[in-house]
Amino acid sequence: MSNNTEQGVMEKLVSLCKRKGFIYQGSEIYGGLAGTWDFGPLGVALKNNVKALWWSRFVLGRDDMYGMDAAILMNPAAWEASGHVAGFADPLVEDTKTQKRYRADHLLEAAGVDPKGMKAAEMDAAIKEKGIKSPDGNPLGDVRQFNMMLKTHVGAIQDDSSVSYLRPETAGGMFVNFKNVVDSFHPKLPFGLAQIGKAFRNEIAPRDFIFRLRELEQMEIEYFVKPAEWEAAFESFRKEVREFTKDIGLSQEKVHELEVADEDRAHYSKRTIDFEFDYPFGRKELYGLAYRTDFDLTAHSNRSKQDLSYFDEETKERLVPHVIEPSFGVDRTVLAVLADAYREDELGGEPRVYLALSPAVAPFLACVSPLLKNKPQLVEKAKEVRAALAKAFPGRVAYDDNGNIGKRYRRQDEIGTPFCVTVDFDTVEGKDAPLDTVTLRHRDTGEQERVAIADLAARLVA
Ligand code: GAP
């Protein structure tokens, strides 16, 4: 219980996630597949809550946003136009003996050199100058750029003509549908397209649990504005991104903003702010907010020979809108939420592990139990209470009658359930407490209070 080093916390979190059914290693029975993880029943519940909050804030809660769900596979010309085929690369070095590959910037960081802004040749020079070796102690080869797009073949013929890519960002599917949405809905600028979906990156070194993945999920917005209005939209989304981190209950002192230097921005961006989070393994990128200018619409227009300009009915002006892009990793959000919530304390003289998850994201909002499972009148009443609460909070109310009540509380604490509701003899007999009242227990403090069943739903604040 005392190993609370950064690595210790991560090990405990990974183990809790597996034990309790949040997150499992991908293809575990075959020895795994690096950079892939599977979400179990509780993980998917947490993840769905995160995605629902995002969709609610950024799509349902606004009248200038259009939801999308574009295909993962796209015509490869789209990725040529977007610059990903030529430029979506990370700097790679190879251990000359083992042939294992590493990110050059990660090795420099580990050796105390800040790689920010360095080009591949500069990293190469720094590695040689410092005499940096591979983690196995062997000499390293030259730094090369490595394209991270995952290639596949579409159709029956496997040659160059059938090459396609699993999308490396969801953004592309929105740019290629810009004209479709304009034609269908005639939106006025500014407006946005939003979608949640999988993206794939052949990361050289997937690591830190679900932080750096090869198969990941993104929640992205492409917000189209008149060129002169980009700064106002950028500032507005800067605040909205921050608000979203509050929606999911992240400790605000752990969320930071970093103005990304010119040399470190993606090829399409003229300004980027990274939202960083203090993970147990250090301060790392959680989200990005980028000003993509008219880069994408112009590039797709040139390549597809389609007119992707916009005609402003009010000013009678034709223009290519500029784009503000807030981009959120779902998996990094789940990891931030879990790491932020992980707690160890002592309750009733016993050590305890619990997740102080916000009620808004916890897999279950509440768990209902009968005090004893062999008393039919308690069981019947508990099931009735559970059914009533489940109507108010569909899918978010658990039922547990296994083991003694203390064990049930600990089990719910460990998966972050904010409230436990216990139906006891007073509930049905009303001797020492009023009839139709239950015990409501609060996860973080372990405090218990007597609450009327009729008031329960209002007390479980999601
Ligand atoms: N469309 C812009 C874009 O994709 P990005 O900074 O490359 O920008 C956006 O990625 C977000 O996607 C990141 O801030 C992060 O949350 C998430 N992300 C990127 N690469 C990831 C990876 N390998 N594993 C998990 N999440 C990742």
Side-chain angles (χ1 to χ4, degrees):
M1 204 49 91
S2 58
N3 184 11
N4 278 339
T5 58
E6 288 159 9
Q7 203 191 341
V9 169
M10 279 310 288
E11 276 170 14
K12 286 191 259 192
L13 191 61
V14 173
S15 146
L16 184 151
C17 283
K18 177 179 158 83
R19 201 172 58 248
K20 305 310 282 184
F22 281 90
I23 301 165
Y24 308 116
Q25 189 186 8
S27 321
E28 189 179 4
I29 61 167
Y30 290 104
L33 178 69
T36 67
W37 293 84
D38 296 338
F39 284 77
L42 297 193
V44 81
L46 197 166
K47 188 155 97 141
N48 283 344
N49 291 338
V50 164
K51 292 196 276 186
L53 285 169
W54 188 88
W55 197 257
S56 162
R57 169 173 287 279
F58 291 108
V59 183
L60 306 180
R62 308 175 57 125
D63 49 20
D64 59 351
M65 208 67 84
Y66 296 82
M68 290 249 354
D69 185 13
I72 288 174
L73 290 172
M74 293 176 70
N75 187 310
W79 299 115
E80 282 160 21
S82 69
H84 284 82
V85 173
F88 191 61
D90 269 346
L92 166 150
V93 271
E94 207 169 271
D95 178 316
T96 52
K97 287 214 169 118
T98 64
Q99 271 74 51
K100 280 192 209 157
R101 292 167 162 198
Y102 302 95
R103 282 263 299 259
D105 51 337
H106 289 170
L107 294 184
L108 283 165
E109 255 172 24
V113 181
D114 183 1
K116 283 204 178 81
M118 281 189 182
K119 301 214 161 59
E122 290 162 333
M123 289 190 201
D124 196 48
I127 285 176
K128 291 190 169 118
E129 189 192 310
K130 291 253 167 197
I132 296 173
K133 297 261 188 315
S134 82
D136 292 329
N138 301 320
L140 293 163
D142 295 338
V143 175
R144 291 184 284 130
Q145 288 292 353
F146 169 76
N147 193 295
M148 291 199 293
M149 286 213 291
L150 273 156
K151 249 186 204 176
T152 187
H153 290 272
V154 174
I157 298 165
Q158 299 221 340
D159 63 13
D160 284 353
S161 69
S162 65
V163 164
S164 186
Y165 304 93
L166 302 184
R167 66 183 178 200
E169 54 174 10
T170 64
M174 293 187 271
F175 292 121
V176 302
N177 279 292
F178 169 77
K179 187 174 170 356
N180 283 334
V181 174
V182 168
D183 291 348
S184 304
F185 299 92
H186 310 289
K188 282 205 179 113
L189 287 178
F191 73 91
L193 300 183
Q195 75 171 336
I196 300 177
K198 293 272 187 168
F200 301 81
R201 299 182 181 190
N202 198 8
E203 295 280 354
I204 299 162
R207 62 178 185 180
D208 295 324
F209 194 23
I210 55 169
F211 180 81
R212 192 174 303 286
L213 297 166
R214 289 188 170 137
E215 177 175 339
L216 56 131
E217 196 165 7
Q218 293 184 316
M219 308 181 282
E220 293 199 298
I221 293 167
E222 307 306 327
Y223 195 72
F224 301 96
V225 298
K226 291 185 184 173
E229 290 167 9
W230 78 267
E231 269 170 313
F234 193 93
E235 281 310 312
S236 160
F237 275 109
R238 187 179 185 164
K239 293 198 187 86
E240 284 288 298
V241 173
R242 179 57 79 160
E243 287 305 306
F244 178 69
T245 66
K246 294 181 191 165
D247 293 347
I248 53 176
L250 286 186
S251 302
Q252 288 301 296
E253 69 279 8
K254 292 187 187 164
V255 180
H256 310 274
E257 290 177 31
L258 173 82
E259 187 76 46
V260 179
D262 294 1
E263 323 78 76
D264 292 325
R265 285 196 302 261
H267 60 278
Y268 49 70
S269 174
K270 243 192 175 164
R271 185 179 178 198
T272 298
I273 286 180
D274 277 352
F275 286 78
E276 298 188 314
F277 183 76
D278 293 326
Y279 288 97
F281 43 85
R283 185 174 295 182
K284 304 274 177 199
E285 179 185 337
L286 172 64
Y287 306 138
L289 173 63
Y291 168 40
R292 288 180 83 130
T293 68
D294 60 351
F295 174 87
D296 300 271
L297 287 182
T298 302
H300 287 300
S301 191
N302 290 342
R303 178 70 200 241
S304 65
K305 309 280 181 256
Q306 302 281 321
D307 180 5
L308 301 183
S309 65
Y310 175 94
F311 185 69
D312 188 333
E313 295 287 350
E314 271 165 23
T315 61
K316 306 292 174 210
E317 180 198 6
R318 186 161 281 286
L319 65 134
V320 178
H322 282 212
V323 169
I324 304 299
E325 179 195 64
S327 179
F328 305 70
V330 177
D331 315 273
R332 285 189 191 181
T333 308
V334 170
L335 181 56
V337 160
L338 285 169
D340 197 21
Y342 185 85
R343 304 271 194 289
E344 291 173 4
D345 69 354
E346 219 177 69
L347 194 68
E350 293 280 322
R352 161 175 92 141
V353 171
Y354 73 103
L355 296 178
L357 292 170
S358 152
V361 296
F364 295 116
L365 181 59
C367 177
V368 180
S369 291
L371 183 64
L372 299 170
K373 75 169 173 184
N374 55 1
K375 298 288 172 199
Q377 79 267 43
L378 298 189
V379 170
E380 195 185 322
K381 191 72 180 174
K383 289 194 169 160
E384 201 182 284
V385 171
R386 192 241 182 160
L389 285 180
K391 263 196 182 155
F393 306 104
R396 303 207 59 210
V397 185
Y399 182 86
D400 188 5
D401 60 10
N402 265 326
N404 68 41
I405 198 75
K407 286 207 174 114
R408 290 180 215 157
Y409 286 157
R410 294 301 166 114
R411 267 203 301 274
Q412 294 302 323
D413 289 348
E414 214 180 351
I415 63 170
T417 308
F419 303 102
C420 282
V421 173
T422 304
V423 168
D424 56 23
F425 290 105
D426 284 326
T427 313
V428 290
E429 291 168 1
K431 279 189 195 146
D432 295 326
L435 198 65
D436 282 329
T437 60
V438 289
T439 302
L440 178 64
R441 176 186 179 270
H442 298 261
R443 176 197 62 205
D444 297 354
T445 56
E447 275 169 20
Q448 303 185 13
E449 57 176 324
R450 203 76 200 168
V451 172
I453 292 171
D455 297 338
L456 261 183
R459 296 293 310 275
L460 308 186
V461 190

